[in-house]
Amino acid sequence: MQYSMLGSSGESVSRVCLGSMTWGLQNNQQDANQQIAYALDQGVNFIDTAEMYAVPPSLETYGKTEAIIGHYLANNKQQREKVILASKIAGPGLPWVREGGLITGEAVISSVEASLARLQTDYIDLYQLHWPNRQSPHFGQHALNHYKFSDSNANKQIESMLDVLQGLDKCVKAGKIRYCGLSDDTPWGINTFLKLSEQHNLPRMVSIQNEFNLLHTKDWPYLIENCVHEDIAFLPWSPLAGGMLSGKYLNGQRPQGSRWTLQQRNGLFRNTDASEAVITAYQEIAKANNITTAQLALKWCDQVDGVTSTIIGATNMNQLKENIDAFKVPLSAQALADISALLKQYPAPF
């Protein structure tokens, strides 16, 4: 296993981050226990979760994933110090989470307490804002069309961000969280938080996790360049585009129990002629290199300059082993050239 620095935190994290959002719906406690144990045995020391999980998000599944991780930690206390544990506070828009309200400093404090109780731990290593207050909760799309880019509105946003940082600062000083990070945000969001931290001597954001994969490269190079120069860890989520890049959904296939068979996660808005064509082409490159299409996509993500750790997820052990194995073998120069050609041909396939 290879490791990288988590931005300016000084912590070393595995290039593979174990995602957990299926635990509590598609996966049960026993499944999660097996996945965590295997990942740790392979050298993974980074686990990501969120108060919102499991997904699809609902009142019934809210907090279940954290509770599953907490049960594991309570029964494996010796593992806690070996793990960089990351969680997230949900942004606005979910009526069962703070009645759909904004993230505030007060909300940060209460949400950290609730997450700590579910996780059965005294501290969270990396606490992240799942999506910003100014953004609709449509992951990966950055739907800001409800937001007015006026000076007065910008000032309100900055005041809100300062309030959030002050809440995070209280949690850091209390020893309840160690580092702070962002998710589903923009260069303006990153830089505004950094300015506020410097101006007011508040915790510095050390990371951001955004959707990033062969079908969705909007952060490359602009946001990633920003991360590199500001020492912000870039953590891609959905490196397989919700499973699309495994090829399992091609030609209308819907494997039983897969994410696209679940309500709110059918993925059909991405199932275009262009996405089908480019995934089929990626399959051919993978075959030529004796790896699976999923491994091709994961390894491509890992080799992008500026990527710190890629968040993987799996619903069974075979998938988990396949995913982790992807990071062990470099892509050939020819494979990278072939992929680059397809990225130019299909810059936005959905």
Side-chain angles (χ1 to χ4, degrees), residues 106-304:
E106 183 179 349
V108 165
I109 294 169
S110 61
S111 293
V112 166
E113 291 287 356
S115 287
L116 288 172
R118 288 189 291 264
L119 291 165
Q120 299 191 55
T121 185
D122 296 328
Y123 65 96
I124 297 168
D125 295 282
L126 176 64
Y127 197 65
Q128 305 153 107
L129 312 181
H130 209 150
W131 61 92
N133 285 332
R134 67 189 188 281
Q135 179 186 325
S136 298
H138 299 294
F139 297 137
Q141 298 180 54
H142 292 279
L144 295 165
N145 51 352
H146 69 293
Y147 178 68
K148 304 297 184 183
F149 293 98
S150 64
D151 289 340
S152 60
N153 218 335
N155 289 336
K156 289 179 182 178
Q157 294 299 331
I158 292 169
E159 290 173 6
S160 171
M161 294 160 85
L162 178 58
D163 177 50
V164 169
L165 277 176
Q166 289 168 337
L168 290 168
D169 184 52
K170 291 177 181 178
C171 293
V172 170
K173 288 177 177 175
K176 295 177 181 180
I177 61 176
R178 298 178 65 210
Y179 307 107
C180 311
L182 300 171
S183 178
D184 298 291
D185 215 323
T186 64
W188 184 85
I190 293 171
N191 295 328
T192 302
F193 271 115
L194 292 179
K195 289 177 183 177
L196 289 171
S197 296
E198 184 175 355
Q199 290 169 359
H200 300 276
N201 193 30
L202 293 168
R204 191 181 195 276
M205 296 298 178
V206 303
S207 64
I208 183 169
Q209 56 170 272
N210 279 3
E211 181 177 9
F212 185 66
N213 54 61
L214 282 170
L215 304 181
H216 195 76
T217 60
K218 63 176 178 54
D219 284 346
W220 190 39
Y222 308 109
L223 186 140
I224 296 179
E225 180 186 31
N226 195 158
C227 289
V228 170
H229 291 296
E230 295 294 347
D231 203 8
I232 301 286
F234 184 73
L235 312 172
W237 64 262
S238 199
L240 296 182
M244 285 182 70
L245 284 163
S246 70
K248 65 184 178 183
Y249 297 124
L250 288 174
N251 303 313
Q253 297 179 85
R254 297 294 180 269
Q256 185 63 35
S258 63
R259 196 179 311 171
W260 281 19
T261 64
L262 300 177
Q263 185 181 12
Q264 301 179 42
R265 290 279 167 172
N266 59 30
L268 295 179
F269 69 98
R270 295 181 165 189
N271 192 26
T272 66
D273 290 342
S275 65
E276 291 256 330
V278 72
I279 292 168
T280 300
Y282 286 135
Q283 278 189 325
E284 294 305 312
I285 299 173
K287 288 177 184 177
N289 286 269
N290 298 312
I291 56 177
T292 67
T293 314
Q295 289 176 325
L296 180 85
L298 290 170
K299 189 57 190 178
W300 175 84
C301 203
D302 178 60
Q303 61 82 47
V304 170

Side-chain angles (χ1 to χ4, degrees), residues 86-114:
S87 193
K88 300 184 281 291
I89 180 174
L94 301 177
W96 59 89
V97 184
R98 299 179 298 280
E99 299 182 341
L102 300 175
I103 302 174
T104 63
E106 183 179 349
V108 165
I109 294 169
S110 61
S111 293
V112 166
E113 291 287 356

